[in-house]
Amino acid sequence: MRAGVAAGERPSSPLHLPLVAPRLLRPLPFIAPWLVGFFTLTLYPFAASLYWSFCRYDLLSPPRWIGGEHYRRLAEELWRGGPFGRALWNTAYYAAISVPLSIALGVGLAALLSRKVRGVAIYRALWFLPSIVPVVAAAVLWMGLLDPQQGLVNRLLTDRLDQGWFSSTAQAAWPATWPDEQAGDGRLAPRLLGSKDALILMSLWGVGNFMVIYLAAIGDIPESLYEAARLDRAGPLQRFWWITAPMLSPVIFFNLVMGAIQAVQAFTQVYLVSDGVGDPAASTLLLSLHLFLAAFRDLEMGYASAMAWVLFALVLTVTAWLFHTSGRWVHYTSV
């Protein structure tokens, strides 16, 4: 028996609860605002939407449990080409084209603007400037530029190349017919570019954000690698392919994941250019807009919640697949 401890008396623990508990609770007042915001603005809506996805809920009456009816409805619309199927196709089309184009354009601009030439800072500022323009202002601007009748873009094109833009349902990747519309003078006018292609063109307007990130990454590439390549008589394209691109692969991977998530969440510009309903003929009805209309126009909060969870599962699957395949093409430098 240790000295100083009476017979039958339990030795005191250095982690005695009455002493430790106040010490653990001292930081609580400092993190309480974040905890309140997390539980009320994040965790509760997250759990509530999951419960509502199994209920019929119109925001005016209490939720009523109906099981997986909303998920069966989504599967039927996907199979038969209903509103959810069209919205999913439009979103996939928009993301599959806009994200790679923004990455390619951002890397190309960064490679060109990384050269030490006179006035390069001005060029960088001019390319970055559109990315700080508010989304609403940029959408209104592009609606004027791409107006089929009075827009500046169609005025610069010839009669044989005029496009329908936001008033056409054509798709550049899979044109339904060629040509598919009549020009005003009776000649056939090709309409290859439609509303989704105009949205993709709008998304490239803010590529300056990606360009700045790539510029910073290019600045971190050791100059000794380029000097060794020049000694081996490697040309500019060879240096870009074998040095710049592999060294930029972690940044490209980051922008690929973030760009895919942002493409799925695109809403403001889509709402403005489509009159808030996905016109023309649901060609701009992305999943974000369809979810919004189902929840706050049709008051089908349960159906919208089920759609949100399906969208969450799709984004999670795509992100996991990107991480799984990143080991084949993403190269990290070791210190």
Side-chain angles (χ1 to χ4, degrees), residues 2-3 5 10 35 37 65 79 82 91 132 157 165 178 204 227-228 232 238 244 247 250 266 283 289:
R2 290 189 307 167
V5 179
R10 298 180 61 185
L35 290 176
W65 183 269
W79 178 256
T91 304
I132 65 175
L157 299 175
W165 301 116
W178 168 263
L204 300 179
E227 293 177 356
D232 291 337
Q238 291 174 316
T244 306
M247 297 294 286
S283 61
L289 179 59

Side-chain angles (χ1 to χ4, degrees), residues 142-168 181 189-194 198 201:
W142 278 101
M143 289 172 64
L145 291 175
L146 299 179
D147 184 87
Q149 304 299 327
Q150 304 296 328
L152 179 61
V153 175
N154 273 3
R155 288 187 179 184
L156 297 177
L157 299 175
T158 63
D159 294 337
R160 295 287 298 175
L161 295 176
D162 284 353
Q163 301 301 315
W165 301 116
F166 291 121
S167 63
S168 174
E181 293 183 14
R191 291 291 189 266
L192 283 179
L193 302 176
L201 188 60

Side-chain angles (χ1 to χ4, degrees), residues 38 43 52 59 73 76 113 116 125 129 132 144 147 151 160 177 187 205 212 241 248 255 271 292 315 325 331:
F38 173 75
L43 188 59
W52 292 342
L59 297 177
R73 174 183 172 184
E76 183 178 356
L113 296 178
K116 298 179 181 179
L129 190 61
I132 65 175
D147 184 87
R160 295 287 298 175
T177 56
R187 292 180 301 167
W205 171 258
V212 171
W241 183 255
L248 287 180
N255 285 331
Y271 185 87
F292 172 82
V315 172
T325 59
H331 308 280

Side-chain angles (χ1 to χ4, degrees), residues 249-307:
S249 58
V251 183
I252 294 175
F253 173 67
F254 171 80
N255 285 331
L256 179 61
V257 174
M258 297 304 298
I261 297 175
Q262 292 173 3
V264 172
Q265 294 177 340
F267 173 78
T268 304
Q269 63 270 36
V270 181
Y271 185 87
L272 291 173
V273 303
S274 66
D275 294 330
V277 293
D279 284 339
S283 61
T284 58
L285 185 66
L286 301 189
L287 281 174
S288 57
L289 179 59
H290 182 42
L291 192 153
F292 172 82
L293 294 176
F296 300 106
R297 186 193 64 180
D298 303 332
L299 297 182
E300 293 183 310
M301 185 59 68
Y303 171 71
S305 299
M307 194 190 316

